[in-house]
C-alpha cells in the first residue's frame, strides 16, 4: 500500500472511523467514506476539511443508507482508484428492543454485504474489518483467573444464544463474534474467486478523545465510552462503576492498527487483539484524580472517590496478550492516563 492508494472506510462518521480517516489522510492516503445520510456525510467532510485543499479532494463521501441491504456497497466500492477497504460500520448498542433485528442481522449481513461488493472489484487487494474483543472473550467462563486471551480464542456464542439473550451486552458480543466468523467463512469459501486478503482488528473497551470536540448540544448523544468519562467528570456518576470488561485500548491506537494492517504484508489473513492492557473503573478514577490537567474543583465536587488503589485488575481476572500486534504491526500503546485524561479534558468543556 502506497500513498497513491484510495481506501474505502465504511461508517465514516463513527468514533473509531473518524480517527482511522484522520490517520489515513495524515499518512498520505486518499479516502472515500460512507455514511447513512447526506447530513452525516457533510459532518465528516467538515471534520476533515483541512485535508481537502483546493484541487486536492483527498476525502469524498458515498451515501449507504442501510448496510444490510444486498448490494448496499456496490456503488461505493467502484469509486475510481479504490484498492483497499476498512469496514467499521456496525451497530453498537447495549440495549436493544430486538436482538436479531437491531444487532445480529445488521452486523452479520452488513459484513457479508460489504464483502460481496468488494468481490466485484478486482482492484481491491486488502480488506480490514473492525471486529472486537467481544469475538474473543468467552463470557460464559466469567473472569477466568489465570487465563490469558489472545487471537487464537473465539467467543463460542451461537446465533440463537444472541437472539434469545435478555442481555443487550451479550447480544452485542454475539453480533461481533458472528460477524467476524462470517467474514472468515466468506474469504475461505471464495478464496479462489476474490482478489483481496482479510485482516480483523479486535479491540476491547475503547477510550480516548473524539477526533473533533463534541459540541454542548451533543452531550446527550455521546458514544458509550465518551459518555462514561463525561458522567465521571460531570458528576452524574455518584459511585465508581462496576468493571464489566477488563481490557482497554486508546482509540488512536485502534486507528493506527487498521492502517498498519493495510501496510504490513504479514497482516494478511490475520486477526489482531489490539489492547493497551487491563484496567478497572477505580483505576480510571484514580488516574483522573492524580492528573494535574483535571481541575481541582472537578476532583473535589464531581469525581466519585470509591476506594483509591483498590479493585484494580489482578490475579482474579483474565489477562490479555498484545504481543502479536506489537511484533507484526509494530504498534506502541498509549498509557491509560494519556487516554482517559485526554478524553476527560476534551469533555470538560461540556460540563
Amino acid at each position: 500500500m502506497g500513498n497513491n492508494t484510495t481506501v474505502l472506510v465504511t461508517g465514516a462518521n463513527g468514533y473509531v472511523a473518524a480517527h482511522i480517516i484522520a490517520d489515513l489522510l495524515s499518512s498520505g492516503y486518499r479516502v472515500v467514506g460512507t455514511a447513512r445520510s447526506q447530513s452525516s456525510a457533510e459532518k465528516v467532510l467538515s471534520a476533515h476539511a483541512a485535508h481537502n485543499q483546493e484541487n486536492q479532494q483527498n476525502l469524498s463521501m458515498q451515501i449507504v443508507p442501510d448496510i444490510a441491504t444486498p448490494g448496499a456497497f456496490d456503488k461505493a466500492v467502484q469509486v475510481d482508484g479504490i484498492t483497499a477497504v476498512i469496514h467499521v460500520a456496525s451497530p453498537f448498542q447495549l440495549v436493544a428492543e430486538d436482538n436479531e433485528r437491531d444487532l445480529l442481522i445488521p452486523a452479520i449481513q452488513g459484513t457479508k454485504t460489504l464483502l460481496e461488493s468488494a468481490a466485484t472489484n478486482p482492484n481491491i487487494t486488502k480488506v480490514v474489518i473492525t471486529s472486537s474483543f467481544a469475538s474473543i472473550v468467552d463470557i460464559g467462563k466469567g473472569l477466568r483467573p489465570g487465563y490469558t486471551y489472545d487471537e487464537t480464542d473465539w467467543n463460542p456464542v451461537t446465533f440463537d444464544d444472541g437472539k434469545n439473550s435478555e442481555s443487550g451486552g451479550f447480544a452485542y458480543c454475539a453480533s461481533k463474534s458472528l460477524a467476524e466468523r462470517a467474514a472468515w467463512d466468506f474469504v475461505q469459501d471464495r478464496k479462489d474467486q476474490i482478489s483481496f486478503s482479510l485482516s480483523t482488528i479486535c479491540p476491547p473497551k475503547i477510550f480516548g478523545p473524539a477526533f473533533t470536540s463534541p459540541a454542548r448540544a451533543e452531550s446527550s448523544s455521546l458514544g458509550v465510552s465518551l459518555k462514561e468519562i463525561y458522567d465521571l467528570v460531570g458528576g452524574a456518576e455518584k459511585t465508581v462503576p462496576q468493571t464489566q470488561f477488563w481490557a482497554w485500548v486508546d482509540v488512536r491506537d485502534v486507528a493506527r492498527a487498521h492502517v498498519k494492517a493495510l501496510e504490513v504484508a504479514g497482516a494478511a489473513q490475520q486477526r489482531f487483539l489490539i489492547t493497551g492492557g487491563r484496567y478497572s473503573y477505580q483505576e480510571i478514577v484514580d488516574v483522573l484524580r492524580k492528573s494535574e490537567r483535571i481541575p481541582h474543583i472537578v476532583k473535589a465536587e464531581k469525581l466519585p472517590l470509591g476506594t483509591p488503589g483498590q479493585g484494580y485488575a489482578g490475579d482474579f481476572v483474565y489477562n490479555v496478550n498484545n504481543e502479536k500486534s506489537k511484533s507484526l504491526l509494530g504498534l506502541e500503546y498509549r498509557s491509560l492516563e494519556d487516554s482517559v485524561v485526554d478524553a476527560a479534558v476534551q469533555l470538560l468543556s461540556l460540563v
Side-chain angles (χ1 to χ4, degrees), residues 248-250 253-254 257 272-277 322-326 329-336 338:
W248 77 281
V249 67
D250 185 273
D253 296 335
V254 176
F272 295 94
L273 173 53
I274 305 299
T275 176
N322 63 9
E323 287 303 315
K324 182 177 176 180
S325 68
K326 290 195 288 189
L329 299 182
L331 287 188
E332 297 178 1
Y333 288 98
R334 287 170 172 80
S335 67
L336 183 66
D338 286 345

Side-chain angles (χ1 to χ4, degrees), residues 145-146 246 278 311-319:
W246 292 78
R278 299 183 299 171
Y312 288 20
D315 293 342
F316 64 92
V317 65
Y318 56 77
N319 214 328

